[in-house]
Amino acid sequence: MPNTINTEKTKCYHCGETCENDALAIDDKIFCCQGCKLVYEVLSENDMCTYYDLGAHPGESQKEKSSRSNRFDYLKDPETAKKLLDFQNETESHVTFYIPLIHCASCIWLLENLYQIHPGITFSRVDFIKKKVQIKFQHQKISLQELVSLLSTIGYEPKISLSNLDKKAQSSSVDRRTVKRLAVAGFCFGNMMLFSVPEYFSEVELIAENFRGLFNYLNVLLAIPVVTYAASDYYISAWNSVKQRRINMDVPIVLGIATLFVYSLWEIFAHGNAGYMDSLGGLLFFLLLGKIYQQKTFSALEFDRDYKSYFPIAVTKLVQNQEEVIPLTKLEVGDVILVRDEELIPADSLLLSDTAHIDYSFVTGEEVPVPKRKGELIYAGGRQKGEPILLTIQKSPSQGYLTDLWNNESFEKSKDKLLEPLSNKVSGIFTWTVLSIALIAFLFWLPTDLSFAIKVLASVLIVACPCALAMSTPFTLGNTLRIFGRDKFYLKNASVVERLALVDTVVFDKTGTLTDPARAQIKFYGESLSEETKAILKSMVSRSTHPLSNRINGWLGNITGKKLSFIQEEKGKGIKGIYLGQEIRLGSASFCAIKNPVSHREGNLVYLSISGVELGYFHILSGLRAKAPEVISSLEQSYELHLLSGDHAHELNSLKQNLGKSIYYHFQQNPIEKLTYLQSLNEDGKRTLMIGDGLNDAGALQESEVGIAISDRVSHFSPASDAILDASSFSKIPKYLDFAKKSRNIIKASFGLSFLYNVVGISLAVQGILSPVICAVLMPLSSISVVVFTTLSTNALAWKMGLIQSKTEK
Amino acid sequence: MEVIFLLIGVSLVLAGSFLYLFFKAVKSGQFEDDYTPSVRILFDNHKKTSKHQPIKPKSNE
């Protein structure tokens, strides 16, 4: 059998791909292509071969890379360059690039040692998770364009898209302000507890009496930053909510803080007693802790991407047959542009070349390229596969068929206001109850003793401060977020959990969501294929990256390929190979010179011919995603289901057969229609969940109450959404919905628990026997027990439902 | 017992300086990327001689 040569020897030293006949050798090392060899040469020239010591074959294949020298010309445009830079002074510029190729330790090492390659680079630092590198360089020595070219030469081409031009709101993974507030609260809380120790043991008389006064004053001093700095967010939020005549959770919190502080001041300065300052510090410390816990973010993912994140920043414009690279923002209607292989079409335009093969996988989720003829309108968002094509621009990039979606008003509103959180509903009732109890108690004691009545009033307000109540929501939701995250279901923020719990209508996209390109149904019609032919086909299709080749490759299974003397792929047409003097062609009907091509109503056809004689054809249908029927059948009992598809209705019958009849099917929906469909569902009072995958679902994902983007590679591509689901977890959707519901119940249960503490506390307070010591015990006790309860019960529930397999897995 | 006054002062200053250091650390972004440093620390210092390539005179290092 062929192909049994020691594989390690034939692997490219740079990228690890198996080298074909045309391998290049230098310094006893083999390279699969010029690109890989070039990277090695640059690195070895600069004495940087440590890159190859850190990991075997750390590079990425450079075969597919375009080598045009002018493609970064747009960076010479000072306006564009200025928008990309983070910072610039007379000598130094800072820039942050997103480099998707960063994948191993070698990458980090190389990118952080850029200064060894070029003296103009003074500093570079990689953020591995975000795949970003920050570079500081002296722009007199190296221009931005040269820097990008350099990165591209060493195999790390930054991805610069249209969205880079918008001034980015730096989203840091940790909310720095809240962390600082927590630090201050923690610092003050700790010290206040120390100074309160004599008070806790006041019966024992540990320390001389004369320290008490000092300790109390120190507590006041320490409480000032807590009240003025650490708690400031709560004042703003409470004030905003009161202004709208609502009571959110922060209103009773501010009420508690104010009473604690003012009453403690009065106690300390008027009576020389100990105040409740330590409880105040503890309250803020625990509250801020909960706030930070809730802010779990998945820094590798982005939830706010629109088409700009995928569109190129520059295009090649033809002016009097001269190529000119211009920024996309300067593109005008009527311009003629040149789009090369693998490049994205940036605006709706007419095809001037004879044929084109457009891959709309970004838009629809279907990755098999669509053939287009001269004069046809091509929508923005498609990717050309094959020969370079010429186009005339018909519409400006932001007003196309697809991109017009983002001009819809749905994209203006924030979803966080859609649902009043459970805690806000409760806090309204809670606040009024506490206030009335306090007032009744005050009036009850008033005839007896005024100062005692005031003490009771303050005690009730202090002890009823909803610390435990306020903590149950963030800890339950935060933990749910983490459990989902471990299971590859990434939510944008904690409020999505609550919205998810109330969903009653689920809308699916078809292509790429319910169907899975990797699970195609393939049938071969014609003469039966011999083992030899299969082996020949195997080596042909494994050389191609075309989706249909990949599917046939999967269908052929794990067989060993034959060695062919010649294989060539003509992009968008097919593959031809020569085996024992016979020409084998695999591809479209015209490519294989088929006289009478068959026509099927759906799916794709791939013909096979040997020496001009037709052997038969592959009929490839997109298959349903694994477990899709099970997901549908378990959802249809409790949810109303809809299906929206951009395709024609010809698959309706087979879909009905597989998915059942309880779904409302809608075909031929364009992106805007998908959006308005969701709008009409919302207007009917439905709580909608949209599950989609392409940019054409972006409007529907935005309009729905919860939009879930499903993706095979979560960090690569997903439209803006509330949650990103890894395609491998698709079958768990019913479980996730169920779990979200149950975690809402856990919040309710923990509300009950904290009410219990309040009953105990208030019953002490109305009798006027609350002391700083009791308060100092009761408050942390209630908070911690609520936290323990919610965390344990969510974990137990997740374990019971099979959502946590192993705790170490991330 | 007067030493307690001194001790209180010292402890507050000490705790305060820790708070200050923490602020500095937050500002420097130390808590934002918690993965890359774990890789970075394993890199050896750059050796001029590598087994791949004979030493070349370098001006720009």
Side-chain angles (χ1 to χ4, degrees), chain A residues 651-662:
Chain A
E651 282 184 58
L652 180 61
N653 285 332
S654 71
L655 280 175
K656 271 194 177 164
Q657 224 165 37
N658 287 314
L659 299 179
K661 295 192 174 78
S662 59

Side-chain angles (χ1 to χ4, degrees), chain A residues 269-327:
Chain A
F269 288 106
H271 298 116
N273 288 335
Y276 297 87
M277 293 303 189
D278 53 330
S279 297
L280 176 64
L283 170 72
L284 259 303
F285 180 69
F286 285 119
L287 283 176
L288 290 167
L289 207 61
K291 206 170 180 177
I292 286 176
Y293 187 77
Q294 192 180 18
Q295 284 174 344
K296 163 81 182 171
T297 49
F298 302 99
S299 50
L301 304 175
E302 284 177 54
F303 292 94
D304 303 314
R305 292 190 268 211
D306 62 6
Y307 70 94
K308 287 184 179 161
S309 311
Y310 306 102
F311 273 38
I313 195 171
V315 282
T316 314
K317 183 177 152 184
L318 281 189
V319 186
Q320 288 152 355
N321 286 328
Q322 289 287 309
E323 283 184 24
E324 199 180 302
V325 179
I326 60 159

Side-chain angles (χ1 to χ4, degrees), chain A residues 13 47 53 112 128 176, chain B residues 32 36 40 46 48 52:
Chain A
Y13 187 64
D47 193 15
D53 297 340
E112 294 200 340
F128 185 79
R176 289 186 182 178
Chain B
E32 271 156 54
T36 324
R40 196 177 288 134
H46 183 63
K48 288 244 166 170
H52 296 277

Side-chain angles (χ1 to χ4, degrees), chain A residues 500-516:
Chain A
L500 202 59
L502 293 178
V503 157
D504 59 12
T505 306
V506 185
V507 185
F508 288 98
D509 168 56
K510 186 180 72 77
T511 318
T513 304
L514 282 180
T515 63
D516 180 2

Side-chain angles (χ1 to χ4, degrees), chain A residues 237-238 241 246-253 420 423-424 427-428 431:
Chain A
S237 155
S241 130
R246 277 197 202 145
I247 292 183
N248 67 6
M249 197 41 107
D250 294 343
V251 175
I253 289 174
E420 177 105 353
S423 57
N424 281 5
S427 68
T431 311

